[in-house]
Amino acid sequence: MKKAPAKKTAYAKSGVDIDLSNSIKSGLGARLKSTRRPEVLSSIGGFGGLFDAKFSGYKHPVLVTSIDGVGTKLKVASMMNQHESIGEDLVNHCVDDIAVLGAEPLFFLDYVGTSKLDTSRFHQILKGLTRACKQANCALIGGETAQMPGIYHGDDYDLVGTIVGVVDKTKIIDGKTIKPGDVVVGFPSSGLHTNGFSLAREILFKKLRMRIQDAMPGTKKTLGDALLAPHINYQLMLKELAAKVKIKGLAHITGGGFIDNIPRVLPKGVGVEIQLGAWKRPPIFDLLESKGKVSTNELYQVFNMGIGMVAIVAAKDAPKVLDHTKAWVIGSVTKGSQKVKLVS
């Protein structure tokens, strides 16, 4: 005899299906276990995550925190119905935000807000989150999934993450020793990473009327693939580099681009000159620059323009950086007022 379908609860009829939520989350334990660190004391499903605050190898451990989202890159993910890399984007963005201080990531929490739960989309996001956390040796210790019809509409959803890391107080990278004559080294991005998508979508989809399946000029990729290229995790590379040279300052080139992010690590009395054309850019930026009718200054304030992370080192250490990483010398530190100047 065919089983009758389960009767919807009043809450489910209003748009919030608790049974579906519980069903989707039922298999989380095994996946999140792959990101577990020895310091994690709690199991999945508790009211809070427990993490043992014994930091062996740290003389004076200092906790470092950050929170961020993926922005309107979510719109592109929905257009392509590909949400796995979005989870990677979120983790890697947050890891990089604390890496600029010299911090090691410890644990991560995520928030997914949506009008209605989609099982396939949820598991894609989670797969990306767990993969990136595992690669970063960062425990995915908990999260929140909120169904909020009336706040979110249609297939829209939001994805936010909080990260906690640790750094020895004596090893915090704070930019205080940066001085004129130091060198600015840039590390390549994979594309837009997680910033500038509102302007990019305006240029590409509205002004140029491109489609996500269109060929990306200068590549074998589609436009959609180029836009969804995952945000790079620079933390392990920077950790290895710090063992070879003294890194005076680091800037994650996220929202605010070069113009707003580099000054965040500059001490008083110095500025930075960025030499345009000193690095090879992903083709997506050539397209945005040539067709977008946006000023150069705004391009470098909105987008990373092919540089996802910037390090400032003494001039004598620059060759060592280039020997051990894929990078370019893209500028120099000058006397100034904590501002960035773009030089042709």
Side-chain angles (χ1 to χ4, degrees):
M1 185 176 177
K2 190 174 181 180
K3 189 177 179 180
K7 188 177 181 180
K8 271 195 172 186
T9 65
Y11 205 12
K13 290 177 181 177
S14 73
V16 181
D17 195 329
I18 295 177
D19 291 335
L20 176 60
S21 177
N22 290 336
S23 174
I24 288 176
K25 295 175 184 177
S26 62
L28 290 185
R31 183 165 281 166
L32 269 61
K33 190 176 180 180
S34 69
T35 72
R36 195 176 181 90
R37 290 175 54 120
E39 301 95 333
V40 177
L41 304 179
S42 54
S43 57
I44 301 302
F47 285 101
L50 299 173
F51 194 92
D52 193 337
K54 291 180 181 177
F55 304 113
S56 60
Y58 289 85
K59 293 181 181 179
H60 188 159
V62 176
L63 293 179
V64 185
T65 66
S66 187
I67 182 170
D68 221 309
V70 186
T72 61
K73 188 172 185 176
L74 294 170
K75 285 288 191 181
V76 180
S78 293
M79 291 168 71
M80 295 194 58
N81 194 26
Q82 293 180 19
H83 306 274
E84 194 172 315
S85 63
I86 289 294
E88 292 181 84
D89 283 323
L90 181 64
V91 174
N92 292 346
H93 183 130
C94 290
V95 167
D96 289 340
D97 272 351
I98 66 170
V100 299
L101 294 164
E104 169 195 1
L106 295 173
F107 58 87
F108 189 86
L109 300 100
D110 68 279
Y111 164 85
V112 180
T114 183
S115 62
K116 58 182 179 181
L117 281 175
D118 181 292
T119 303
S120 173
R121 184 174 65 190
F122 179 84
H123 284 294
Q124 286 182 56
I125 294 169
L126 190 66
K127 188 175 181 181
L129 289 171
T130 54
R131 180 166 61 229
C133 280
K134 187 176 181 181
Q135 290 172 348
N137 193 27
C138 179
L140 182 53
I141 202 171
E144 166 68 4
T145 304
Q147 300 175 67
M148 296 194 291
I151 300 296
Y152 299 99
H153 301 278
D155 291 328
D156 285 347
Y157 69 97
D158 201 6
L159 181 62
V160 179
T162 298
I163 195 166
V164 175
V166 64
V167 62
D168 205 308
K169 189 174 182 180
T170 62
K171 296 181 180 179
I172 294 173
I173 301 172
D174 57 17
K176 288 181 180 179
T177 63
I178 295 173
K179 63 182 182 181
D182 288 338
V183 169
V184 181
V185 177
F187 303 97
S189 70
S190 59
L192 270 66
H193 282 182
T194 49
N195 295 100
F197 275 84
S198 293
L199 178 56
R201 290 187 301 112
E202 177 74 21
I203 294 170
L204 298 170
F205 300 132
K206 291 187 178 180
K207 287 185 178 180
L208 302 182
R209 300 187 180 277
M210 294 183 72
R211 300 168 300 172
I212 56 172
Q213 66 267 32
D214 288 346
M216 178 64 219
T219 76
K220 296 180 180 179
K221 297 180 179 180
T222 65
L223 176 62
D225 289 335
L227 290 172
L228 279 192
H231 197 121
I232 293 174
N233 174 349
Y234 297 96
Q235 189 261 334
L236 290 177
M237 177 273 291
L238 292 172
K239 184 179 180 180
E240 293 175 1
L241 188 61
K244 297 178 175 67
V245 301
K246 177 177 173 54
I247 299 175
K248 294 188 173 189
L250 289 166
H252 185 197
I253 309 302
T254 59
F258 291 78
I259 306 300
D260 294 336
N261 285 301
I262 295 177
R264 295 165 74 177
V265 300
L266 298 179
K268 290 182 179 179
V270 302
V272 157
E273 288 188 352
I274 297 295
Q275 185 67 49
L276 301 183
W279 65 93
K280 184 178 180 180
R281 305 188 308 195
I284 187 70
F285 297 108
D286 296 329
L287 180 61
L288 290 168
E289 183 174 37
S290 64
K291 304 294 185 181
K293 295 182 180 179
V294 179
S295 71
T296 298
N297 198 73
E298 186 173 5
L299 284 170
Y300 283 80
Q301 189 173 29
V302 174
F303 302 116
N304 67 59
M305 300 303 288
I307 297 293
M309 180 71 70
V310 159
I312 298 176
V313 299
K316 66 179 179 63
D317 288 330
K320 297 178 188 176
V321 178
L322 302 186
D323 284 344
H324 291 95
T325 61
K326 182 180 179 182
W328 301 274
V329 172
I330 65 168
S332 59
V333 179
T334 62
K335 290 182 180 180
S337 55
Q338 296 171 300
K339 292 183 179 180
V340 171
K341 182 180 180 181
L342 305 175
V343 181
S344 302

